[in-house]
Amino acid sequence: MDNSKLHTQLAKLFPKEQVFTDEFSCLVKGTDAGLYRLIPKAVVKVNSEEEVIRLLQFCNRENISVTFKAAGTSLSGQTISDSILMEIGQGFEFSAITENGKTATFGVGLTGTAANRMLQRYRRKLGPKPASINSAKIGGILANNASGSSYGIKYNSYNTVKSMRIIFADGTLLDTSDNESRKQFMETHPEFIEKINALHLEATENKEIKNRISTKFNLKNTCGYGVNSLIDFSDPVDILQHLMIGSEGTLGFISQATFETVHDARLKATAMIYFPNLRDVCQAILPLRSCSVSAAELMDRNALRAVEEQAGMPAELKLLPENASALLIDTSADDNETLSAQIREIEEKLAHIETLFPIRFTTDNSLYNLYWNVRNGLFTSAAAARPRNTACVIEDIAFEAEVLGDALTDVRDLLVRTGYADAVMWGHLLDGNVHFTVFPDINSPEGIQKYAQFMHELCSLVALKHHGSLKAEHGTGRNMAPFVEKEWGTEIYGLMKRIKSAFDPQRILNPGVIINDDKDVFIKNLKNIPSANPIIDKCIECGFCEVTCPSKNLTMTPRQRIVAYRYLKPKPISYSLDETCATDGLCGIACPVGIDTGTLVKELRWENVGKWGNFIAGSIAANMDKVSSTVRQLLKVPHTVARIIGYNRMENIARGLFKVGDGLFPLWTRYTPSGAAKIKQDIFPADPSASSASSGSPLVVYFPSCITRTMGTVPAQNEAGDTPAKMLSVLQKAGYTVIIPEGKESLCCGMAFSSKGFRKQAKKKESELNDALLEASRNGELPVVCDMSPCLLHMRETLDPRLKLYDQVEFIHDFLLDKLTFEKQPISIAIHTTCSSTKMHLEEKLKTVAELCAEKVIVPDDVYCCGWAGDRGFFYPELNNSALAPLKHGIGDATEGFSNSRTCEIGLSINSGVAYKSLVYLVDRAAEGR
């Protein structure tokens, strides 16, 4: 079927907003984390089982291949297509927790972290814990039989899935938890069932095949199909259910799964143990398997060297000898006595192995996090330091404990000999599962040939010499498909080919993945890695950035913006790439190599700033006091009119003006603030009744941002006084004398100009504020508090480091708690951590202060950046609405909302129906001076 006809047929089957056929959308949506690129002919977003069935029936009828994509974080090329790509939509983000958390059903569109967050209250978690769990979705975790740092042989998807709903290539739906569905499927698919039974008999009756399968699956193994299903089960439906796990979308589509969850112990302890070499650390695997160990993470010297220069790393890393290796051991329990006993057992079992330093466990939270930061930073640092224009390939192998030391030594020798001596090696020691990075130059024929030779030698070393797994948890994909037969042998590989034929006789499901007769497929369709911009050149397109992006369900994600910029740079794509990017920086936190795509977008805005825009920005910057005064008065007008004609009618008029103006007028709502009261003095004495005032009032500089000086309250708040008034009240109650910088009406941190690309004007305002704050704070002697977290973060990034700068939440938490008495208010509230607060690690401080003030504090799940993005919520409200789609459900029974950014609070109010305001309102209501 030609493309035109295909697009026409799909348009008849699905709503137009769910079908993407243009070059731009197909390129960016067709990208995954692997090193391969295929561009689909069409991308179809599905939101229900009915839509999946409709699409598969069409593909089956027309003999058109289709590939499934969830998060696209897989590494082996299993979620790309040059035909139809089926993208999992929000309709598959559902859950049901049962048996007090012991079992849980999740739709395949939820991330692993979202699932674990729901289980947390029951002290339960999913068994699989891949490194990508924050981004990887349930569908991908199942399709790749992911495991991660948990004991992967015991707690992978294969061993923890209880039931699932499967849609097969012909569109048939099977619910393995429903006896009637099982019975009906067996009656309507007798040939399929007969083939599954024949495969089972062949695998179990041939002792050589049975023993080989059993032996191979003593290790983690995701190379080829999970043929252990053929010998572990006898019921054909149980067999096919477990064959689905790790099948990478080649056998059918899993729409939901019910898991048997794992206990998540409350208390944790960890130890970082250093060994002289890789062989010595490998001796720990067998003793540790008999202990209560949550994780045992191996790190070689290259891995430790990759992070040793980073701030906060343990000092001993730099002192380690050349061949040293480390092991990070984690153990957990529900009580201190049990935890202590487990620690003693581990120490006793490892006492005979030479270590560079004595084994010391810690339960200190900061040290615990420090050690795990070493582990979690390995890939980040290695990938960021790789040569330009090279790919980042993470290999994934496993060996039996008895040969692990020899095998890893051989792998290290191979890496050195083939030109990849800088490879970083780490892994999950309990499973004998090791990862390492190589950085091939896949832009040149020589680089591709070098990589191909390395892969052939690696596969022989792993599969033939040491009888290991070529893939332990990352899936076969295209990367390892040519080598499956080498690992398993002709007979068992033949069983795998028959499995594929039984499930998918027309071979329409993800063809070329797992089963592929092309021995060179692993070096075909490789991604070209261009030099596009230093800000993004290190991007490996992993997709970790996508989950927190506010525009992910509206236009594009950070990964997609980078792909568009790399390959479609000349094209005009401003709405998707620029106008709906919140530039919030959360993608930089999630990114393994620290790329903030918002920085790229800001650069594009700077490049496109025109003379007229510069003139307007310059005029505003030079007349900030007059602009603020004018806006204060204008903000009062709509509320005055609304009180006369009614707020519903006023909002209808505002929506009409917004639509007619097509971006000229901002969208006004009842939650748009009225004008703030002007601050008329610069010094505010402490409350004389405060205890600290009697011993000499402490001084603090308070910088009310231009936003809070301009935007006041809304009627829905039911509370008089704007943010500066409440901030002053709290500070004075705590016994502080408050100094406001001179010329406050003209001051601005410059962030509003910087985010729009007006660099010159931003520098001007930054310089003015810097001088004013240095003068007011006596050159940094006095602390400075600001009432807008985005402004405060920008100030920290741009102003003189002598200034001690604090957000309102941080200052209250760090300086005022011992100066105030709190009375919990009998209310249920929701709190929102802004992007800037997240980047400043203020989440827990915000929650701590809120819990002192209110009886119930709710932190809504799956709400990240609000998408208001300065003023974008006024002109692109769809961005704010999309970002906060889960909020209304997430606030539960909250009657009020609190945050620490006035503009963010507008969008939060609109999308929750609850008036959000600054946390200082709550503190002022609940606290009194001591």
Side-chain angles (χ1 to χ4, degrees):
M1 184 180 294
D2 63 45
N3 286 2
S4 177
K5 187 176 180 181
L6 174 65
H7 298 167
T8 301
Q9 291 295 315
L10 291 174
K12 292 177 181 178
L13 292 171
F14 298 94
K16 62 179 181 180
E17 63 270 16
Q18 292 177 227
V19 180
F20 306 87
T21 57
D22 60 286
E23 177 192 14
F24 167 66
S25 297
C26 288
L27 171 68
V28 300
K29 287 179 173 292
T31 297
D32 77 353
L35 67 158
Y36 307 96
R37 189 178 310 284
L38 293 174
I39 300 176
K41 295 175 182 176
V43 179
V44 179
K45 180 177 284 190
V46 292
N47 287 302
S48 66
E49 288 180 339
E50 188 276 329
E51 290 182 345
V52 175
I53 291 168
R54 195 188 313 157
L55 179 60
L56 289 185
Q57 287 177 339
F58 167 74
C59 291
N60 188 60
R61 184 171 61 250
E62 301 294 339
N63 198 25
I64 297 172
S65 64
V66 59
T67 296
F68 313 135
K69 181 182 178 184
T73 57
S74 52
L75 297 164
S76 302
Q78 55 265 63
T79 55
I80 56 173
S81 172
D82 57 4
S83 182
I84 294 176
L85 184 69
M86 189 183 89
E87 184 177 79
I88 309 307
Q90 291 173 272
F92 289 96
E93 297 176 9
F94 56 85
S95 62
I97 312 298
T98 46
E99 297 182 75
N100 204 29
K102 290 183 179 179
T103 57
T105 300
F106 298 112
V108 293
L110 281 174
T111 65
T113 291
N116 279 337
R117 197 182 297 124
M118 297 173 201
L119 292 167
Q120 196 170 29
R121 72 195 68 171
Y122 305 101
R123 304 303 313 171
R124 309 291 294 182
K125 61 183 179 180
L126 291 176
K129 189 187 175 184
S132 58
I133 194 166
N134 289 341
S135 303
K137 298 184 177 180
I138 297 295
I141 290 172
L142 291 166
N144 292 289
N145 193 18
S147 49
S149 60
S150 59
Y151 191 6
I153 301 169
K154 185 176 181 181
Y155 296 123
N156 59 11
S157 299
Y158 182 91
N159 287 310
T160 58
V161 165
K162 187 176 181 181
S163 64
M164 61 177 64
R165 288 172 68 89
I166 310 166
I167 302 173
F168 293 92
D170 62 357
T172 302
L173 172 65
L174 167 64
D175 183 347
T176 66
S177 69
D178 184 337
N179 288 332
E180 184 59 35
S181 180
R182 294 168 74 110
K183 179 184 176 184
Q184 187 176 3
F185 184 82
M186 293 179 71
E187 289 174 351
T188 57
H189 291 72
E191 290 185 14
F192 184 11
I193 296 300
E194 185 179 335
K195 289 177 182 179
I196 296 297
N197 284 328
L199 287 163
H200 163 67
L201 288 173
E202 188 167 339
T204 53
E205 292 180 356
N206 185 318
K207 288 186 178 181
E208 186 177 341
I209 289 177
K210 182 178 180 180
N211 289 339
R212 179 156 178 77
I213 291 173
S214 179
T215 300
K216 290 286 290 179
F217 279 99
N218 285 330
L219 279 175
K220 284 167 69 171
N221 193 307
T222 59
C223 184
Y225 289 120
V227 287
N228 51 334
S229 309
L230 300 176
I231 65 172
D232 289 345
F233 302 94
S234 56
D235 184 288
V237 174
D238 290 338
I239 292 173
L240 64 85
Q241 170 178 293
H242 286 83
L243 281 169
M244 287 295 300
I245 297 169
S247 64
E248 303 174 34
T250 64
L251 303 182
F253 175 76
I254 304 170
S255 64
Q256 70 176 50
T258 299
F259 292 84
E260 293 178 339
T261 63
V262 176
H263 178 58
D264 186 14
R266 182 174 57 90
L267 302 175
K268 303 180 191 301
T270 191
M272 182 76 82
I273 308 173
Y274 302 100
F275 297 83
N277 54 57
L278 273 174
R279 288 184 187 275
D280 288 339
V281 74
C282 291
Q283 291 182 43
I285 185 171
L286 290 176
L288 286 177
R289 282 182 178 174
S290 65
C291 301
S292 296
V293 175
S294 310
E297 295 294 282
L298 165 73
M299 293 162 274
D300 78 346
R301 187 66 185 97
N302 275 6
L304 298 170
R305 189 178 292 112
V307 297
E308 66 183 23
E309 297 295 337
Q310 293 183 12
M313 291 294 109
E316 65 265 22
L317 293 186
K318 296 181 181 180
L319 305 176
L320 297 175
E322 181 59 30
N323 295 317
S325 295
L327 185 64
L328 179 62
I329 299 178
D330 208 71
T331 186
S332 57
D334 289 314
D335 59 82
N336 286 309
E337 185 179 348
T338 304
L339 187 65
S340 297
Q342 290 173 187
I343 291 172
R344 285 194 301 272
E345 182 186 22
I346 294 169
E347 291 172 341
E348 290 167 3
K349 292 288 180 70
L350 298 183
H352 68 286
I353 304 174
E354 181 185 358
T355 59
L356 296 175
F357 305 101
I359 299 173
R360 292 191 184 93
F361 274 85
T362 182
T363 56
D364 177 79
N365 194 54
S366 59
L367 196 55
Y368 181 95
N369 290 332
L370 172 63
Y371 287 153
W372 275 100
N373 285 342
V374 175
R375 164 63 180 86
N376 295 333
L378 301 180
F379 172 68
T380 303
S381 301
R386 76 187 192 276
R388 292 187 67 184
N389 305 118
T390 58
C392 181
V393 180
I394 306 175
E395 290 301 342
D396 167 45
I397 53 181
F399 302 100
E400 291 285 1
E402 293 79 5
V403 303
L404 185 61
D406 290 339
L408 294 189
T409 301
D410 286 349
V411 171
R412 172 55 69 190
D413 291 343
L414 173 63
L415 288 165
V416 172
R417 180 166 51 81
T418 53
Y420 298 117
D422 57 348
V424 167
M425 189 180 293
W426 73 97
H428 318 305
L429 192 73
L430 289 178
D431 302 318
N433 177 200
V434 175
H435 305 303
F436 59 88
T437 57
V438 292
F439 307 125
D441 175 10
I442 58 176
N443 291 339
S444 70
E446 297 79 14
I448 294 172
Q449 186 55 42
K450 174 183 171 182
Y451 173 65
Q453 182 61 35
F454 166 76
M455 285 293 291
H456 281 289
E457 291 193 43
L458 176 70
C459 291
S460 294
L461 188 156
V462 174
L464 302 183
K465 181 177 181 180
H466 293 293
H467 308 290
S469 303
L470 290 173
K471 286 291 180 183
E473 59 181 358
H474 289 174
T476 306
R478 289 170 167 78
N479 181 249
M480 204 53 72
F483 307 103
V484 175
E485 187 173 5
K486 175 175 281 191
E487 174 170 339
W488 283 100
T490 302
E491 280 189 297
I492 297 177
Y493 185 63
L495 294 180
M496 292 182 183
K497 294 176 81 170
R498 286 163 57 193
I499 288 168
K500 172 67 174 174
S501 296
F503 277 79
D504 181 23
Q506 291 183 254
R507 295 182 177 271
I508 63 169
L509 300 180
N510 211 4
V513 169
I514 298 183
I515 303 298
N516 197 315
D517 294 330
D518 184 350
K519 298 304 180 185
D520 290 328
V521 68
F522 75 107
I523 52 171
K524 291 182 176 179
N525 299 304
L526 295 167
K527 286 179 180 175
N528 177 263
I529 311 293
S531 291
N533 189 302
I535 296 171
I536 61 167
D537 282 344
K538 294 293 184 182
C539 176
I540 57 175
E541 300 177 9
C542 67
F544 285 15
C545 56
E546 295 187 328
V547 69
T548 58
C549 178
S551 62
K552 66 179 181 290
N553 294 317
L554 177 67
T555 52
M556 296 172 68
T557 67
R559 168 168 61 179
Q560 292 170 346
R561 288 186 171 94
I562 288 174
V563 171
Y565 184 84
R566 278 176 165 171
Y567 302 100
L568 298 174
K569 190 175 176 181
K571 308 273 184 180
I573 47 176
S574 61
Y575 178 75
S576 298
L577 189 139
D578 173 8
E579 292 166 9
T580 54
C581 177
T583 65
D584 58 26
L586 290 185
C587 51
I589 297 175
C591 174
V593 293
I595 295 171
D596 179 355
T597 311
T599 304
L600 172 69
V601 172
K602 289 177 186 177
E603 183 169 290
L604 295 177
R605 291 172 184 172
W606 172 70
E607 290 174 356
N608 291 305
V609 165
K611 289 183 178 179
W612 180 240
N614 259 315
F615 172 76
I616 294 174
S619 299
I620 293 172
N623 299 280
M624 182 65 71
D625 53 344
K626 298 182 181 65
V627 172
S628 297
S629 178
T630 301
V631 173
R632 267 198 297 266
Q633 300 310 312
L634 289 174
L635 286 172
K636 296 176 183 178
V637 174
H639 287 283
T640 302
V641 175
R643 280 192 286 269
I644 298 170
I645 66 173
Y647 274 89
N648 289 340
R649 189 174 178 188
M650 185 66 209
E651 283 186 323
N652 288 335
I653 293 170
R655 278 193 290 268
L657 287 171
F658 176 77
K659 188 174 181 180
V660 170
D662 193 25
L664 180 63
F665 304 111
L667 179 63
W668 183 93
T669 73
R670 68 186 63 207
Y671 293 109
T672 303
S674 185
K678 186 174 182 179
I679 303 171
K680 296 181 178 179
Q681 62 192 79
D682 295 338
I683 305 291
F684 292 83
D687 184 340
S689 65
S691 59
S692 59
S694 61
S695 58
S697 172
L699 302 175
V700 63
V701 177
Y702 167 39
F703 170 57
S705 67
C706 59
I707 293 294
T708 57
R709 296 197 311 268
T710 305
M711 293 183 172
T713 61
V714 296
Q717 284 184 208
N718 296 318
E719 197 158 1
D722 47 36
T723 301
K726 296 297 180 181
M727 189 78 232
L728 288 166
S729 174
V730 169
L731 292 171
Q732 288 175 298
K733 285 181 183 180
Y736 277 87
T737 292
V738 184
I739 301 168
I740 294 182
E742 291 185 13
K744 56 187 173 297
E745 289 298 322
S746 296
L747 296 178
C748 169
C749 70
M751 184 191 66
F753 297 98
S754 174
S755 66
K756 292 178 172 57
F758 297 111
R759 293 180 177 176
K760 180 180 176 181
Q761 295 82 353
K763 289 290 184 186
K764 170 182 168 62
K765 302 312 291 182
E766 290 160 9
S767 178
E768 291 173 357
L769 180 60
N770 192 68
D771 292 344
L773 291 181
L774 282 173
E775 181 179 350
S777 68
R778 302 171 186 172
N779 289 322
E781 178 184 337
L782 302 178
V784 178
V785 61
C786 178
D787 54 19
M788 281 275 293
S789 63
C791 299
L792 190 279
L793 177 61
H794 186 76
M795 290 159 63
R796 283 186 174 174
E797 293 170 341
T798 58
L799 302 190
D800 194 308
R802 290 177 292 171
L803 292 167
K804 302 182 185 75
L805 302 168
Y806 298 91
D807 171 75
Q808 53 170 290
V809 170
E810 186 176 25
F811 193 80
I812 292 169
H813 180 277
D814 293 358
F815 295 95
L816 304 191
L817 296 189
D818 62 344
K819 297 178 175 64
L820 298 169
T821 59
F822 292 85
E823 182 180 347
K824 284 194 177 186
Q825 304 297 294
I827 52 174
S828 175
I829 68 168
I831 58 173
H832 176 74
T833 303
T834 61
C835 311
S836 46
S837 297
T838 298
K839 289 156 85 171
M840 294 186 288
H841 308 291
L842 298 182
E843 304 98 314
E844 288 304 314
K845 292 184 178 182
L846 173 61
K847 189 177 181 185
T848 297
V849 175
E851 287 176 339
L852 287 171
C853 300
E855 286 187 353
K856 183 177 181 182
V857 177
I858 297 169
V859 182
D861 289 338
D862 301 318
V863 175
Y864 305 101
C865 172
C866 71
W868 195 266
D871 64 357
R872 268 170 208 271
F874 288 122
F875 297 95
Y876 303 97
E878 65 272 24
L879 175 61
N880 175 240
N881 297 339
S882 180
L884 294 181
L887 181 62
K888 198 172 186 68
H889 172 76
I891 64 170
D893 62 355
T895 56
E896 296 182 66
F898 295 92
S899 189
N900 55 347
S901 169
R902 188 67 191 93
T903 47
C904 296
E905 289 152 15
I906 302 170
L908 291 162
S909 301
I910 292 170
N911 286 279
S912 67
V914 168
Y916 273 74
K917 44 193 174 286
S918 169
L919 185 72
V920 295
Y921 281 85
L922 181 63
V923 175
D924 187 53
R925 194 190 314 168
E928 294 296 336
R930 288 187 183 273

